[in-house]
Amino acid sequence: MFGIYLKRELGRRKKAALVIALGLALGIALVITVNSVSAGMTQAQDKVLKSLYGLGTDMTVTKARSAPTDNSSGRPNFEFDAKSNDSDETQSSDRVMTQGGQALKAALVAKVAKQDGVANAVGAITLNVTKVDGSFTQGKAQSTTGNSQSQGQGGPGGGNSTAAPQVQGGGASFDVNSYSVAGVDVTDQTLGPLAGMEITSGKTFTAAQTNAKVAVLSKSYAKENKYKVGKTLKISGTKYTIIGIATASSSESTTDVYLPLKQAQTLGDSKNKVTTIYVKATDSKQIDTVKATIQKNISGTTVTTSADLADTVSGSLSTASNLATSVGKWLSIAVLAAAFLVAALLTSSAVSRRVREFGTLKALGWPSRRVTRQVVGESMVNGLLGGALGIGLGLAAAYAVTAISPKLTAQLGNTGGGGGMGGGPGGGGPGQQSTQNTMEIALSAPVSLTTIALAVGLAVTGGLIAGAMGGWRASRMRPADALRSVS
């Protein structure tokens, strides 16, 4: 009886039911869209962070770089010889400098790994190579001969004179190229600079290549300089065989060349030194506790977590994230509240127009609770219909955002500590006070099952609110009201 009556009444009031359902659907669709875009912002931010410190890294340990002494400005210098022969000879010079924070003793890696709450720790060193190559062109000395009328030049009556020789032509042409190098602990590549990279050509390092003269290049750097697997890369006079080409699995790579750690230490004149220690915690919920433990037991170091680094991300990604988090959520709450209120008012208004119907039912013996149940049932159906429409609209909006994939820029500034996670690949961010990494991230809007469940819950809640208000109004009607309504 309940189902038959429910179906008949909803069929008679299709327009009213559709209006109520659409009101709820718009609010639910907005909630789904905002939640999915917020999830996309979080994923985009994770891509930025993972490209900098590698997958699986919970924190990094670095040391702030000390101020240069009077005798060491820290600026690169290059020395070239100007050849005296006539032929032009190309000259090249590499300047290799450690990047990021101050170098740490490699023994600290084992010490960090022994701290409570630390599952694993590996060391890495980041270098910046500035390559200058070009050639000097020797000028030509030329002299000119002319007439002179002066007394001292051939006597009275004039004579020939030779002017001082002049150098014409010559000069120098040099090209400057700068790229980043990361020294990787080849015995454990699941943590550190190479963890977020995927080998697309060739192979990665083996555990036996701890001091081998081999290199893995990022795809963008290899393409730009036309390097392929099997070719050699020369850095500061040392040739390295390229064994693999890697692509960042999450976003653009901030490191150009990867070398075994010992080779990078030798190249940077930093034997048994690292610039960054990558740390994985045993429990991701205890990261703050592990951070405090490391800072307490290993003095003079800076421990930076992904949460710390996330606070330094700026650009359109940060702006859009703030809008989605604050304005978007408050807007969706306001629209949802308005949709619930409109649904309740429309249901109550519909009940007031059914005075004769509900009064007659009560005169026939229907108790108030049965009338209330009938109204709540109709409202629940309207709510579920609105939920279905809202989920459809929300999924369509999320799909549209993902299909368009608007580009967001993310800039990673420094944290003021001089050695945060930016001391890792690329050396940007907190590793250097004046350096920023700028990346482009494509925004997506993933819809999770949790978001769908939230939409269903909102639909049921909206139906219950509207049904409760309408049912309360219907339960207060008396059979006499129906009799007065009979014409």
Side-chain angles (χ1 to χ4, degrees), residues 107-254:
L108 279 178
V109 178
K111 188 175 181 180
V112 170
K114 293 179 181 178
Q115 301 301 309
D116 292 338
V118 175
N120 192 15
V122 298
I125 189 169
T126 307
L127 308 172
N128 180 264
V129 180
T130 304
K131 183 180 183 65
V132 178
D133 57 358
S135 62
F136 294 99
T137 303
Q138 196 171 37
K140 303 292 184 180
Q142 296 182 355
S143 59
T144 59
T145 303
N147 294 326
S148 174
Q149 300 297 329
S150 63
Q151 291 290 332
Q153 300 292 333
N160 294 329
S161 65
T162 303
Q166 297 180 345
V167 178
Q168 297 181 355
S173 177
F174 284 86
D175 180 56
V176 179
N177 179 31
S178 180
Y179 56 94
S180 58
V181 177
V184 180
D185 185 350
V186 299
T187 61
D188 189 354
Q189 300 175 46
T190 60
L191 195 62
L194 203 54
M197 304 296 290
E198 179 182 352
I199 302 297
T200 55
S201 178
K203 58 185 179 181
T204 188
F205 304 110
T206 64
Q209 293 175 322
T210 55
N211 200 23
K213 294 179 181 179
V214 291
V216 172
L217 272 58
S218 70
K219 184 178 181 180
S220 58
Y221 183 76
K223 183 178 180 180
E224 180 183 356
N225 294 275
K226 298 180 180 179
Y227 285 119
K228 294 183 178 179
V229 174
K231 289 190 174 183
T232 58
L233 170 70
K234 189 175 182 180
I235 306 177
S236 194
T238 304
K239 292 183 178 180
Y240 297 91
T241 302
I242 301 171
I243 62 172
I245 305 295
T247 304
S249 57
S250 55
S251 60
E252 295 181 5
S253 172
T254 56

Side-chain angles (χ1 to χ4, degrees), residues 21-36:
L22 282 176
L24 291 173
L26 291 176
I28 292 171
L30 184 59
V31 171
I32 292 176
T33 304
V34 170
N35 274 274
S36 59

Side-chain angles (χ1 to χ4, degrees), residues 85-450:
N85 53 24
D86 294 334
S87 61
D88 298 335
E89 182 177 342
T90 300
Q91 299 188 56
S92 178
S93 178
D94 289 344
R95 173 72 173 183
V96 182
M97 300 178 65
T98 58
Q99 204 171 19
Q102 184 177 340
L104 301 166
K105 293 182 179 179
L108 279 178
V109 178
K111 188 175 181 180
V112 170
K114 293 179 181 178
Q115 301 301 309
D116 292 338
V118 175
N120 192 15
V122 298
I125 189 169
T126 307
L127 308 172
N128 180 264
V129 180
T130 304
K131 183 180 183 65
V132 178
D133 57 358
S135 62
F136 294 99
T137 303
Q138 196 171 37
K140 303 292 184 180
Q142 296 182 355
S143 59
T144 59
T145 303
N147 294 326
S148 174
Q149 300 297 329
S150 63
Q151 291 290 332
Q153 300 292 333
N160 294 329
S161 65
T162 303
Q166 297 180 345
V167 178
Q168 297 181 355
S173 177
F174 284 86
D175 180 56
V176 179
N177 179 31
S178 180
Y179 56 94
S180 58
V181 177
V184 180
D185 185 350
V186 299
T187 61
D188 189 354
Q189 300 175 46
T190 60
L191 195 62
L194 203 54
M197 304 296 290
E198 179 182 352
I199 302 297
T200 55
S201 178
K203 58 185 179 181
T204 188
F205 304 110
T206 64
Q209 293 175 322
T210 55
N211 200 23
K213 294 179 181 179
V214 291
V216 172
L217 272 58
S218 70
K219 184 178 181 180
S220 58
Y221 183 76
K223 183 178 180 180
E224 180 183 356
N225 294 275
K226 298 180 180 179
Y227 285 119
K228 294 183 178 179
V229 174
K231 289 190 174 183
T232 58
L233 170 70
K234 189 175 182 180
I235 306 177
S236 194
T238 304
K239 292 183 178 180
Y240 297 91
T241 302
I242 301 171
I243 62 172
I245 305 295
T247 304
S249 57
S250 55
S251 60
E252 295 181 5
S253 172
T254 56
T255 300
D256 300 313
V257 180
Y258 300 88
L259 300 176
L261 181 58
K262 288 187 178 180
Q263 280 294 321
Q265 289 170 335
T266 302
L267 191 63
D269 194 22
S270 301
K271 187 177 181 180
N272 295 325
K273 299 283 187 179
V274 296
T275 55
T276 309
I277 301 174
Y278 295 82
V279 181
K280 182 176 179 61
T282 54
D283 186 356
S284 60
K285 297 180 181 179
Q286 301 296 323
I287 291 178
D288 290 339
T289 303
V290 178
K291 174 182 176 179
T293 301
I294 295 174
Q295 288 179 323
K296 178 182 178 182
N297 297 334
I298 305 176
S299 60
T301 58
T302 301
V303 182
T304 309
T305 66
S306 57
D308 298 330
L309 196 57
D311 293 336
T312 71
V313 176
S314 60
S316 62
L317 173 60
S318 178
T319 303
S321 180
N322 291 335
L323 286 173
T325 302
S326 55
V327 179
K329 286 188 177 180
W330 282 111
L331 178 62
S332 62
I333 290 173
V335 171
L336 195 63
F340 284 175
L341 181 60
V342 169
L345 291 176
L346 288 175
T347 303
S348 180
S349 176
V351 168
S352 64
R353 291 195 298 269
R354 298 166 67 183
V355 173
R356 181 187 303 176
E357 175 187 343
F358 290 131
T360 303
L361 290 174
K362 283 193 171 185
L364 293 175
W366 276 38
S368 295
R369 64 177 181 275
R370 188 172 180 182
V371 174
T372 302
R373 185 181 66 176
Q374 191 68 40
V375 174
V376 171
E378 294 175 11
S379 298
M380 286 293 297
V381 173
N382 290 334
L384 292 175
L385 178 61
L389 291 173
I391 291 173
L393 291 173
L395 289 176
Y399 176 79
V401 172
T402 304
I404 297 172
S405 296
K407 299 291 184 181
L408 299 177
T409 59
Q411 293 178 339
L412 186 68
N414 60 67
T415 59
M421 289 192 183
Q432 288 186 332
Q433 296 293 336
S434 60
T435 303
Q436 281 192 336
N437 282 319
T438 302
M439 311 177 92
E440 271 197 355
I441 305 294
L443 177 65
S444 61
V447 181
S448 64
L449 292 177
T450 303

Side-chain angles (χ1 to χ4, degrees), residues 31-80:
V31 171
I32 292 176
T33 304
V34 170
N35 274 274
S36 59
V37 170
S38 296
M41 298 294 179
T42 303
Q43 286 187 358
Q45 193 173 68
D46 288 343
K47 288 180 180 180
V48 175
L49 302 181
K50 288 176 182 178
S51 67
L52 292 171
Y53 57 77
L55 297 171
T57 304
D58 293 319
M59 65 193 77
T60 59
V61 180
T62 54
K63 189 173 183 180
R65 186 179 292 275
S66 58
T69 61
D70 295 337
N71 298 328
S72 175
S73 64
R75 294 188 297 242
N77 60 338
F78 302 90
E79 296 180 359
F80 298 98

